Amino acid sequence: MEKKSTQGLEKMNALFDAGTFVEIGSFVRRSGKPEEFEGVVCGYGAIDGKLVFAYAQDGDRMKGAFDEVHARKIENLYKMAIANGAPVIAMLDSAGALIYEGSAVLSGYGRMMNCVSKASGVIPQIAIVSGVCAGMMATVAAMYDLVITVKEKSKLYVNAPFVTGEKADAETAAANGMAALVAENEDDAVLKAKELVMLLPANNADGAVLEVNEDDMNRKVSVNGLDADALIATLADCGRFTELYAAYDAAMKVGFAAFGGITAGVVFACGNITAKGARKAAKFISLCDALSIPILTLVDSEGVAEEKGAEAATFAAELAKLAFAYTSSKNAKVTVIVGKAYGAAYTLMGSRSVGADVAFALEKAGISVLSPKASVAFAWNDKITAEKSREDLENEWNEKCASPVYAAEMGEIDDVIEEAELRQRICAALGMLFSKAQTCPTRKHVNMPL
């Protein structure tokens, strides 16, 4: 029987290396509709030689409408992906559920959720929302590790916009933290998904991704006066940084970059920590830990933000999530204080006390319970005289009480380093911890003496 070319097949061929896509369940028909192929294309292939499984809801097949058979095809794909330890990419664009199927289609959504849940933390899961992703399918998309939306095409919502009066486009999904990346078009979305697949390990047992590149790991750097983006680019191999959730709290940056060939998750507190920033960092750290990806934390923050309404938004609970993310994660963690680290910013952002394996500070770094200004006002206000101004005392506090050397003397910082050495020291630390990123070996028993 001849199969016609469809949108789903076109999407698959665009995703995979030429000639590598193999469709599974290609002749599966809709329940009670023998004249209709099922509205999802499933299969596997190679992306830059790496095995990947994928499914694409097919607009040419009843607008990709979801039914029980649709769910079973995807369920079968997931079983194969988990058994082979390979990532899954979902391309979502559906008119919704076939409502006349009743409980069967509702159970289909449940089976999809069960598949994604079982795969979570075992294999990477990436969703591309290239059209309508509504109702319970939006819930399924939210369960994926990373979501990519497409400008002017994505519609991602639980309740329809005409009911809520709210936007549900690609930019809104990015602003509310649902979408990790926003693509210009469908081709760009596919390229972004491919890039993520190559940055992520195939599964949680593979450990950190190691890829040789031309950059010198001992390259000297100058980071003084650089903004957050420029600083990360200066430190990363070949200046490449794949930022995620950029539209969701700019004071907390997360994403992937390589250092000495080792791909790491980067968390940079480059401003005061907000509830959104804490949530963003916690989610990303959890992803990296689940897949044994090392974390590099950079800190330049005066502490938690004084946001109006933050307490009503359970600010403490969001900070607690961040604390849990660091303290419960078992992956390799390197922290560098590149500027200020006052109060909660020092403790929460990957300090030795919450689980960092290695912690550095630049010579210019400042570590203090309060900012120098607040510290002088609180503790040294009575020392202000005609001969010694408040500014003089703040400078003295910086030199004596906020010096990274004091933290190093207490064993909380492993070394105070020159900025020129920063990239070199990061690469060396991640290289030393590479085996930890691949998970520690399990001991069978001790070797007893005779």
Side-chain angles (χ1 to χ4, degrees):
M1 184 183 295
E2 186 177 351
K3 294 172 289 180
K4 65 179 181 179
S5 178
T6 66
Q7 288 182 12
L9 290 171
E10 290 170 5
K11 290 177 181 179
M12 290 295 192
N13 289 324
L15 177 67
F16 291 112
D17 298 347
T20 66
F21 173 63
V22 178
E23 187 176 358
I24 56 177
S26 58
F27 283 96
V28 173
R29 303 291 182 133
R30 285 191 176 278
S31 178
K33 291 274 188 178
E35 72 280 6
E36 289 283 350
F37 285 110
E38 184 49 56
V40 62
V41 176
C42 300
Y44 59 89
I47 295 179
D48 287 345
K50 186 174 184 177
L51 175 64
V52 176
F53 288 77
Y55 66 91
Q57 293 180 316
D58 194 333
D60 286 339
R61 299 178 179 181
M62 289 185 67
K63 298 182 180 179
F66 183 85
D67 65 357
E68 190 223 5
V69 178
H70 192 119
R72 289 192 184 279
K73 282 190 72 173
I74 296 171
E75 187 177 38
N76 185 47
L77 176 123
Y78 260 95
K79 288 178 181 177
M80 296 176 69
I82 293 172
N84 286 279
V88 169
I89 296 176
M91 291 180 272
L92 306 175
D93 181 7
S94 172
L98 292 177
I99 60 174
Y100 56 77
E101 285 202 355
S103 62
V105 72
L106 296 177
S107 295
Y109 280 122
R111 276 199 298 276
M112 278 201 65
M113 293 173 187
N114 195 26
C115 288
V116 178
S117 177
K118 286 181 178 178
S120 183
V122 179
I123 55 175
Q125 301 179 88
I126 301 166
I128 299 173
V129 179
S130 57
V132 176
C133 183
M136 279 191 282
M137 190 57 74
T139 303
V140 172
M143 295 174 70
Y144 275 68
D145 296 320
L146 299 164
V147 176
I148 303 169
T149 53
V150 180
K151 286 183 180 179
E152 300 180 0
K153 296 202 73 175
S154 298
K155 302 294 179 185
L156 183 59
Y157 55 83
V158 175
N159 292 305
F162 70 83
V163 174
T164 63
E166 298 175 343
K167 289 184 177 181
D169 56 14
E171 290 78 7
T172 301
N176 65 24
M178 177 73 173
L181 293 167
V182 178
E184 293 294 325
N185 49 52
E186 288 191 59
D187 290 341
D188 185 40
V190 168
L191 289 174
K192 283 177 164 51
K194 288 182 175 184
E195 180 184 1
L196 290 174
V197 162
M198 300 314 296
L199 289 168
L200 296 168
N203 54 66
N204 63 354
D206 266 13
V209 174
L210 178 61
E211 185 173 345
V212 178
N213 59 64
E214 66 274 16
D215 205 343
D216 180 6
M217 65 181 294
N218 295 313
R219 169 170 53 84
K220 301 297 183 182
V221 297
S222 175
V223 299
N224 190 36
L226 298 181
D227 63 20
D229 292 321
L231 190 149
I232 298 172
T234 297
L235 297 176
D237 288 358
C238 307
R240 290 195 292 264
F241 173 55
T242 302
E243 185 175 1
L244 305 175
Y245 305 104
Y248 190 74
D249 193 85
M252 185 73 75
K253 290 189 174 292
V254 303
F256 295 110
F259 303 89
I262 299 171
T263 298
V266 178
V267 179
F268 191 176
C270 51
N272 289 349
I273 303 170
T274 65
K276 283 185 174 182
R279 187 183 308 129
K280 173 179 175 177
K283 175 181 173 64
F284 183 70
I285 293 164
S286 177
L287 169 63
C288 290
D289 181 47
L291 297 174
S292 302
I293 301 168
I295 287 283
L296 169 65
T297 303
L298 304 172
V299 188
D300 185 6
S301 171
E302 295 190 8
V304 296
E306 296 177 0
E307 293 181 293
K308 185 177 180 180
E311 301 305 327
T314 61
F315 198 0
E318 296 302 335
L319 296 176
K321 291 175 187 175
L322 180 58
F324 271 122
Y326 273 113
T327 56
S328 64
S329 59
K330 305 300 182 186
N331 54 338
K333 293 181 286 293
V334 176
T335 298
V336 183
I337 300 170
V338 296
K340 302 167 185 174
Y342 299 154
Y346 171 75
T347 305
L348 285 172
M349 295 307 304
S351 64
R352 288 297 298 266
S353 58
V354 297
D357 298 290
V358 177
F360 298 130
L362 293 183
E363 292 174 322
K364 67 174 184 178
I367 303 171
S368 182
V369 176
L370 298 172
S371 68
K373 182 178 180 180
S375 297
V376 169
F378 182 77
W380 286 2
N381 211 44
D382 57 343
K383 293 186 178 184
I384 299 173
T385 64
E387 291 77 25
K388 184 164 286 191
S389 68
R390 182 177 298 275
E391 185 178 354
D392 292 334
L393 289 170
E394 289 173 5
N395 290 333
E396 185 178 342
W397 185 277
N398 254 331
E399 294 172 5
K400 292 183 178 180
C401 303
S403 169
V405 173
Y406 177 71
E409 290 173 349
M410 298 296 293
E412 298 298 326
I413 297 292
D414 291 299
D415 202 358
V416 179
I417 60 179
E418 298 178 10
E419 70 167 63
E421 299 178 354
L422 183 52
R423 170 176 158 79
Q424 179 184 12
R425 299 298 293 273
I426 289 171
C427 292
L430 289 172
M432 179 271 293
L433 293 165
F434 186 68
S435 293
K436 182 183 180 185
Q438 292 182 304
T439 71
C440 296
T442 301
R443 182 174 69 180
K444 185 176 180 181
H445 56 70
V446 298
N447 183 25
M448 295 184 293
L450 293 174

